[in-house]
Amino acid sequence: MKYRSILLFGAPGSGKGTQGKIFGVIPHFFHCACGDVFRNLRTDSELGRIFVAYSSRGELVPDETTVALWRESIGQTIAAGRFHPDEDTLVLDGIPRNVEQAGMLSDSLDVAGVYYLRLVNPENLVARIQRRAIKENRLDDANLDVIRQRLKTYEKETKPVLKFYGKRLVHEINADQTPARVLADILRIAVKH
Ligand code: ADP
């Protein structure tokens, strides 16, 4: 079966997680952040070690591993009765993160819209990410070289996902606004579909 989905898309630090968390408490939306699925792994497990190895370098975890873990995690949320695919819209944040993943997931996702959180002043990203590192105790956010690498990975590997879905599905949102205004802009479009 295909899950009706909307994708939160944007650079690291663009506010996807903040919006995703809000969506997570609106009835009939189910939020899934791929980074959280990875961070919930035990660091002494095989997959946990793979995650730390890649994320600490600012690189993407290999696609097969990512997609398999994601499928397993979604299956568990359905089995636990937290996500009801027949009634809920899945709000994805952090996946698909490259064109290969988008292709692999096309059998599972019925994408209703892609919300591209676009920052007009990307210089602010590094500062945003560093603030978050302190607040959320995130290893991959602490080091400047790693942050720069993650922004490069985003430009090179993740951005082409926008072309994959195409103009009809992609909605550009000004991510320099307050979280409430960003939410208002997304909802204005999302509730029409
Ligand atoms: P951010 O929102 O700041 O980009 P995430 O929490 O989404 O960070 O991801 C943290 C790290 O987890 C990424 O840098 C990457 O190494 C790994 N990761 C998360 N999602 C994926 C994915 N879909 N494919 C590959 N790696 C991923």
Side-chain angles (χ1 to χ4, degrees):
M1 110 167 253
K2 286 197 182 191
Y3 309 130
R4 187 192 143 79
S5 311
I6 64 174
L7 311 185
L8 298 175
F9 189 93
S14 60
K16 304 182 299 281
T18 301
Q19 296 301 321
K21 274 188 212 122
I22 302 172
F23 267 102
V25 296
I26 306 177
H28 300 302
F29 287 98
F30 181 76
H31 173 228
C32 173
C34 193
D36 288 344
V37 174
F38 279 126
R39 276 185 290 275
N40 285 334
L41 293 167
R42 291 177 55 117
T43 44
D44 60 357
S45 66
E46 170 78 17
L47 274 180
R49 273 195 290 269
I50 295 177
F51 165 64
V52 171
Y54 285 92
S55 63
S56 63
R57 292 198 299 258
E59 291 169 13
L60 299 183
V61 177
D63 299 333
E64 297 289 341
T65 308
T66 300
V67 171
L69 180 68
W70 179 83
R71 289 192 201 276
E72 188 189 315
S73 167
I74 282 294
Q76 284 168 0
T77 61
I78 296 171
R82 290 170 52 218
F83 169 41
H84 303 275
D86 44 344
E87 296 166 13
D88 299 342
T89 298
L90 183 59
V91 179
L92 287 179
D93 142 16
I95 190 167
R97 221 175 174 99
N98 59 25
V99 170
E100 289 70 29
Q101 291 179 13
M104 289 163 84
L105 290 172
S106 59
D107 63 344
S108 308
L109 305 181
D110 170 15
V111 177
V114 178
Y115 294 88
Y116 171 23
L117 307 190
R118 182 154 183 254
L119 283 146
V120 182
N121 302 310
E123 320 76 79
N124 296 341
L125 274 182
V126 175
R128 273 201 197 189
I129 294 173
Q130 282 185 313
R131 262 202 308 276
R132 176 175 73 178
I134 300 162
K135 248 172 62 188
E136 297 180 7
N137 194 20
R138 279 183 51 166
L139 281 172
D140 55 342
D141 283 345
N143 177 300
L144 241 151
D145 290 337
V146 180
I147 296 176
R148 294 222 170 89
Q149 183 53 46
R150 291 171 64 213
L151 294 173
K152 267 195 208 151
T153 304
Y154 167 74
E155 288 293 332
K156 191 164 154 249
E157 299 181 44
T158 306
K159 243 183 169 175
V161 170
L162 289 172
K163 271 227 174 79
F164 178 94
Y165 288 109
K167 283 215 174 82
R168 193 179 60 84
L169 288 179
V170 175
H171 305 283
E172 203 172 297
I173 305 290
N174 173 2
D176 282 316
Q177 307 178 95
T178 61
R181 280 186 199 275
V182 172
L183 179 70
D185 285 356
I186 298 175
L187 281 178
R188 205 174 296 120
I189 305 166
V191 296
K192 275 196 224 145
H193 294 287

